[in-house]
Amino acid sequence: MASSDPLVSICMPAYNAGKYIQAAVQSVIDQSYTNWELIIVNDGSIDNTADVAALFTDKRIKIVHQPNKGQCVAANKAFELSGGDLIKFFDADDIMSPDMLSSQVSRIAGHSEDVVSARWGRFYNDNIHTFKLNPEPVWQDMPAINWLISALTTGYPMMQCALWLIPRPILYRSGLWDKELSLINDFDFFCRVLSASRNVLFEPAATLYYRSGILGSLSSQTKTAHAQSAFKSISKGAAAILGVDQSSAAKQAIANAFQTLAYALYPQHKKIVRDIEKQIETLGGSTVSWHYSKISYWLNKLFGWKMASNLRVTIRKLFNY
């Protein structure tokens, strides 16, 4: 990366994103940094995603259409077509701050073995005015493996793809997105990326606006295949971390990530939860507690998390919320 203005390739898989993709692409066009290319892979959308994307005439934007093959395949296709020294994967429903690229590019200059992260926060109901930052302990420069351990210690970390600016050689070492994964595929991917990196450099001038409240969250997934994907993703991510660090701190952080998944999947997927619990036991146990509210906290104290979880599901069904 000898150039002071390296080409940044922004890889955007898009599936039925017609409602959101215009704002996402416009946030790229509005970047103060201008040496970028945006590769949009329309992954067999059946809405107006292709029509909206076609409205953009900027020559830096390339649009590719393919039959529906999944987010990971689409992301890998975008990378395959990219030519930049620096890579950012970017979902079609999120928004970047105007100086995100310029600040991250400046931060990574001379650091080809490192990745750059950013601030982030959520906004709801498609209303950017509801945006609120979500500060985390990992908002600082850290060795990459320490970032993973710190982030996982509280359970499931924020690994949203647009947070990161990644030198291309790191992706050659880590490998790309696993096309077999359909849920929390970012966990596996970024555990491998960070395990192949030296440091995470935090850039406070870069901000990701993360659109929340869209159907498809982990808690809304009921298909066994999705639950198995989530289990596989954390298992693969765990293997990547343990390939670099087998300390007790690393094992407990991974156990906490597994435990958080168990909380999300129970009671709908009891068999998978039993498999998760075996992994947690092998790792030495978890320190993440189960509670969603004050009431659920006391239910957990009184009855244990599994019975409390069953009660919570029953109450939600009875009162339809």
Side-chain angles (χ1 to χ4, degrees):
M1 284 178 290
S3 172
S4 60
D5 61 340
L7 177 64
V8 177
S9 295
I10 303 166
C11 302
M12 178 184 286
Y15 176 71
N16 288 350
K19 185 178 179 181
Y20 310 115
I21 192 170
Q22 184 168 4
V25 173
Q26 191 62 51
S27 77
V28 176
I29 293 173
D30 291 342
Q31 290 294 302
S32 58
Y33 189 83
T34 58
N35 192 22
W36 53 262
E37 62 175 358
L38 172 61
I39 303 101
I40 302 171
V41 177
N42 176 29
D43 187 39
S45 297
I46 56 175
D47 68 351
N48 64 336
T49 296
D51 295 332
V52 176
L55 296 174
F56 293 101
T57 58
D58 193 305
K59 293 182 179 180
R60 295 170 294 180
I61 300 174
K62 179 186 296 183
I63 304 169
V64 178
H65 304 279
Q66 67 176 27
N68 180 246
K69 298 180 179 180
Q71 178 189 11
C72 292
V73 173
N76 289 344
K77 181 65 174 180
F79 176 77
E80 176 188 326
L81 297 171
S82 71
D85 295 321
L86 299 170
I87 309 297
K88 180 181 288 292
F89 293 96
F90 185 38
D91 287 344
D93 53 13
D94 294 328
I95 296 173
M96 287 191 280
S97 63
D99 294 323
M100 188 172 202
L101 292 184
S102 62
S103 59
Q104 287 191 312
V105 169
S106 294
R107 188 73 173 86
I108 206 169
H111 295 273
S112 60
E113 298 298 310
D114 303 332
V115 296
V116 180
S117 66
R119 306 188 308 171
W120 72 279
R122 300 179 186 275
F123 67 99
Y124 294 88
N125 302 317
D126 303 329
N127 183 358
I128 197 70
H129 297 295
T130 65
F131 175 77
K132 185 177 181 180
L133 284 171
N134 192 79
E136 297 177 303
V138 291
W139 285 12
Q140 58 180 302
D141 292 359
M142 306 175 71
I145 191 64
N146 291 1
W147 190 101
L148 283 167
I149 292 171
S150 178
L152 267 64
T153 295
T154 57
Y156 182 67
M158 179 59 169
M159 292 182 170
Q160 213 286 337
C161 59
L163 285 173
W164 308 92
L165 189 65
I166 310 166
R168 180 178 289 271
I170 289 178
L171 291 169
Y172 289 147
R173 293 199 299 270
S174 67
L176 297 177
W177 298 80
D178 185 343
K179 65 181 181 180
E180 302 299 323
L181 299 178
S182 60
L183 195 64
I184 64 169
N185 43 38
D186 54 349
F187 188 101
D188 158 58
F189 178 68
F190 282 107
C191 282
R192 287 188 281 110
V193 168
L194 267 63
S195 294
S197 304
R198 182 180 57 187
N199 296 304
V200 172
L201 307 176
F202 174 65
E203 178 46 63
T207 304
L208 171 67
Y209 297 83
Y210 180 59
R211 192 183 302 270
S212 295
I214 301 174
L215 291 176
S217 66
L218 177 58
S219 60
S220 71
Q221 299 292 347
T222 58
K223 292 183 179 179
T224 299
H226 289 316
Q228 289 173 335
S229 170
F231 181 34
K232 181 181 177 182
S233 180
I234 293 183
S235 298
K236 288 190 63 186
I241 294 169
L242 293 174
V244 177
D245 188 335
Q246 297 189 10
S247 67
S248 58
K251 291 178 180 178
Q252 185 175 92
I254 295 167
N256 286 357
F258 273 124
Q259 186 66 69
T260 302
L261 178 63
Y263 291 150
L265 296 183
Y266 193 88
Q268 290 88 347
H269 303 285
K270 293 181 179 179
K271 182 180 183 301
I272 296 174
V273 169
R274 287 196 294 271
D275 291 336
I276 292 172
E277 289 177 327
K278 292 177 183 177
Q279 294 294 325
I280 294 170
E281 183 179 358
T282 300
L283 291 162
S286 166
T287 58
V288 175
S289 60
W290 181 95
H291 68 274
Y292 292 86
S293 63
K294 289 183 179 179
I295 294 175
S296 63
Y297 171 82
W298 287 108
L299 288 173
N300 182 23
K301 284 284 188 181
L302 291 169
F303 304 113
W305 75 267
K306 287 185 178 178
M307 185 173 291
S309 182
N310 283 319
L311 287 170
R312 180 173 180 267
V313 170
T314 300
I315 291 169
R316 289 174 68 91
K317 287 180 179 179
L318 285 173
F319 293 96
N320 194 29
Y321 76 95

